[in-house]
């Protein structure tokens, strides 16, 4: 039975996906073509969509539970960085072959764990066959107070810049997947390696931070393409000049050791991507409230920089080292990321 | 310039997709990671997702405007069959190669025409590269009065069964795409062939029918997998026994001629799929109102059958010919579609 293949879309939905919709009445047990989403008075919906594709966003042969977890986590990461509370999601999945029962069971186990961790339910979806690789496209829904979505483009001069969690672990996990021999070069233990791999394959966006962001942040976004690149995007969208002090960027113990020994440049950790943490700009008068609310929610947040005043057309992102010198990041490729020295 | 390729996701979004979001403030000009959707008091959201994949849902080399139109139309079709008014959509697109400027211009022209025809705006999305074929996954949002989504599983004994538009034209278009020589066998003119091809590649779900459904229908769904199969699904979901009188099924003039001459069996037309019309069950006391409202909205609707009383465990779908005899459809493969003769 373990290798039994399922050719019927209805059988797949009924046996594996419908149970994930229990608890969300608007899913109609996945027996209709649409789902219904009702909002409490004064709420509005925040929506996002992100796909993960085999060979692009995850390695061929990745554990199905990890594929499922990450597919949902990268979407939830977008929602919570907007101060939204996760509610539900749609799943559009395209299989290159009829999936095996065992694979589907593991995949739905991963989804079940993720939706339980993030507090949302499956509300609907679409199941297809494809001549291409496995593709999992999720649309996620969260709720905020009407008008309360925390924007990317709303950073203001004077804001302090925060990140949640630690930065760079997933980058190290990716490097180890691509070149397992690095574990020996870096002299890391199995537990450290497992930490880096888990950061890559099972990211935990800080779902409990939404309230602290909603109450205090002037702008926020999730960090998916590298801290520096995403910080630059936020500064550009906001028309602001920002600065990150690289030594303030929070690293895990094992990552800090690798950076301190010179085995891995700090620059690689802050440009590497796949962190799925939150980058937030907080007005100075609200930093106390932000830190307290995040702490109370069990989310570690660290101040790493500042948004300065910018002249007209003067925006960008600087990263400085412990001596206040501008760091060279990814060679000259980063030059176009600021059009003038930021304050 | 015509063959210029675009490698930057930001350039693609800024030049081609962002203009499609104008008029929907919650899209934030596609400059944020999420969109915000506000609802008027007393409204709720209806959501659906459907992907179209090259080689599965459309032919390789299909005109980009037609791919775009169909990708949106198949989603809007689901919404309006639920009595919902289209509002917005998210677009997740995966390109096998960096897309050319000319291709993107034609694709976004198709989206622009479709969203104008259906009354909705682009609100966000995701742009990826894939080692597989072109894939376009859309999530569409519509609004209904809270609790007012028209369900699939709510047909009741005594209901009359209606379809919108005409059935079978897309099936003929698909047959002609697969075997162009059929045009000669069928002795059809260029204009007739164009009609069938347009039904396949640019379906027009009857967006104006939503109000008539919402006010009058006990159950509805869109017809995408063939009238008979979808009618069976509705009967099964509702626990009802239904009957379609095949001679009542509305056909276009050219399709009727082909069926009358015996060139194409009527059974092929009513089982073929890709119609993207609406199948609705209407209580007898509301058929007058339903027909009048649909007519006033410019949507042709035709009564084709009836929902009968069903004993316990007795549900299914019968299709009868002009003599009241059960039609043989797709050989014995359809037998499992009813577990007992329906009334």
């Amino acid at each position: 039975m373990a290798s039994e293949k399922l050719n019927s879309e209805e059988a797949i939905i009924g046996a594996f996906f419908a149970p994930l919709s229990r608890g969300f009445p608007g899913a109609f047990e996945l027996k209709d073509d649409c789902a219904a989403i009702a909002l409490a008075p004064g709420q509005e919906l925040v929506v996002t969509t992100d796909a993960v594709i085999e060979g692009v966003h995850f390695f061929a042969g990745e554990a199905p539970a990890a594929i499922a977890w990450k597919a949902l986590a990268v979407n939830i990461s977008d929602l919570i960085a907007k101060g939204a509370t996760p509610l539900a999601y749609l799943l559009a999945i395209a299989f290159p072959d009829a999936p095996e029962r065992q694979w589907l069971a593991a995949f739905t186990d991963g989804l079940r764990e993720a939706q339980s961790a993030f507090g949302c339910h499956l509300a609907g979806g679409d199941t297809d066959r494809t001549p291409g690789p496995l593709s999992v496209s999720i649309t996620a829904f969260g709720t905020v107070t009407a008008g309360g979505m925390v924007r990317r483009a709303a950073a203001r001069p004077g804001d302090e810049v925060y990140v949640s969690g630690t930065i760079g672990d997933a980058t190290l996990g990716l490097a180890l997947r691509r070149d397992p021999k690095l574990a020996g070069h870096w002299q890391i233990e199995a537990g450290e390696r497992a930490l880096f791999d888990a950061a890559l394959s099972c990211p935990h966006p800080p779902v409990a931070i939404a309230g602290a962001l909603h109450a205090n942040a002037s702008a926020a976004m999730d960090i998916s393409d590298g801290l520096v690149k995403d910080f630059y995007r936020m500064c550009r969208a906001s028309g602001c000049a920002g600065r990150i002090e690289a030594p303030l960027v929070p690293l895990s113990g094992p990552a800090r050791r690798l950076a301190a020994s010179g085995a891995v440049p700090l620059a690689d950790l802050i440009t590497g991507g796949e962190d799925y943490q939150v980058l937030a700009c907080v007005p100075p008068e609200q930093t106390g409230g932000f830190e307290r609310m995040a702490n109370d929610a069990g989310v570690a947040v660290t101040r790493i920089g500042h948004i300065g005043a910018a002249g007209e057309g003067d925006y960008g992102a600087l990263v400085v080292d412990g001596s206040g010198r501008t760091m060279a990041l990814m060679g000259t490729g980063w030059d176009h990321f600021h059009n003038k020295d930021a304050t």
Side-chain angles (χ1 to χ4, degrees), chain A residues 151-155 221 231-240 315:
Chain A
R151 299 281 311 280
R152 172 194 289 197
M221 65 187 290
F231 181 60
Y232 165 73
R233 287 175 170 158
M234 180 182 274
C235 291
R236 187 182 57 173
S238 304
C240 283
Y315 62 85

Side-chain angles (χ1 to χ4, degrees), chain A residues 4-341:
Chain A
E4 184 193 348
K5 295 207 171 197
L6 289 173
N7 275 297
S8 152
E9 181 177 359
E10 285 186 29
I12 293 171
I13 293 169
F16 293 98
F17 294 141
L20 298 174
S21 73
R22 280 183 204 138
F24 192 76
F28 305 116
E29 301 173 356
L30 308 191
K31 287 179 179 168
D32 214 310
D33 299 303
C34 294
I37 298 182
L39 296 175
Q43 299 272 297
E44 68 185 31
L45 211 62
V46 176
V47 301
T48 188
T49 186
D50 263 313
V52 297
I53 301 168
E54 184 179 277
V56 180
H57 303 93
F58 59 90
F59 291 99
E62 177 69 280
I67 298 168
W69 177 285
K70 188 157 183 176
L72 187 53
V74 302
N75 280 281
I76 296 298
S77 179
D78 278 328
L79 289 185
I80 64 181
K82 307 284 104 183
T85 303
L87 174 66
Y89 66 101
L90 305 179
L91 169 75
I93 187 165
F95 295 105
D97 297 298
E100 291 184 358
R101 189 172 283 276
Q102 197 174 30
W103 191 98
L104 278 168
F107 183 83
T108 45
D109 280 349
L111 276 181
R112 187 176 296 109
E113 282 180 34
Q115 67 181 41
S116 169
F118 301 137
C120 56
H121 290 92
L122 180 62
D126 183 33
T127 304
D128 280 307
R129 296 290 290 276
T130 174
L134 177 68
S135 162
V136 183
S137 182
I138 282 180
T139 298
F141 308 101
T143 56
V144 287
T145 305
M149 183 180 120
V150 181
R151 299 281 311 280
R152 172 194 289 197
R156 289 173 300 196
D159 284 351
E160 301 292 348
V161 179
Y162 284 84
V163 293
S164 65
T166 59
I167 298 296
D169 298 309
T171 296
L172 296 169
L174 182 61
L176 286 164
R177 286 278 193 112
R178 286 181 171 151
D179 182 4
K181 289 196 302 290
L182 284 174
H185 297 321
W186 291 349
Q187 298 182 293
I188 57 174
E189 296 164 9
E192 295 171 325
R193 185 173 180 163
L195 180 149
F196 297 147
D197 197 69
L200 175 70
S201 58
C202 291
H204 280 71
V207 66
I209 203 177
L213 289 173
H214 187 264
N216 299 289
S218 51
M221 65 187 290
D222 78 327
I223 306 170
S224 55
D225 293 337
L227 169 62
V228 174
K229 188 171 187 178
D230 286 332
F231 181 60
Y232 165 73
R233 287 175 170 158
M234 180 182 274
C235 291
R236 187 182 57 173
S238 304
C240 283
R243 172 198 295 255
I244 289 174
E245 297 174 54
L248 298 182
V249 174
L251 306 179
S252 68
R256 182 179 301 114
R257 191 171 63 73
L258 288 172
S261 73
V264 176
L266 179 58
D268 289 3
L269 301 179
I270 63 176
T271 58
E274 303 269 335
D275 295 297
Y276 300 107
Q277 294 293 339
V278 170
L279 175 65
C281 294
V282 181
E285 65 276 17
Q286 296 193 248
T287 55
F290 177 70
E291 293 183 14
R292 189 174 56 250
M293 285 182 73
N295 264 328
D296 288 350
V299 178
V301 294
T302 307
R303 196 190 73 79
I304 61 165
H306 185 73
I307 303 292
E312 195 175 343
D314 170 22
Y315 62 85
L318 270 186
V319 183
V320 298
D321 65 16
S323 315
R325 282 184 300 245
T326 302
M327 286 176 71
L329 295 171
M330 295 175 64
T332 55
W334 284 87
D335 284 351
H336 72 279
F337 278 170
H338 46 273
N339 63 357
K340 223 173 161 185
D341 270 6

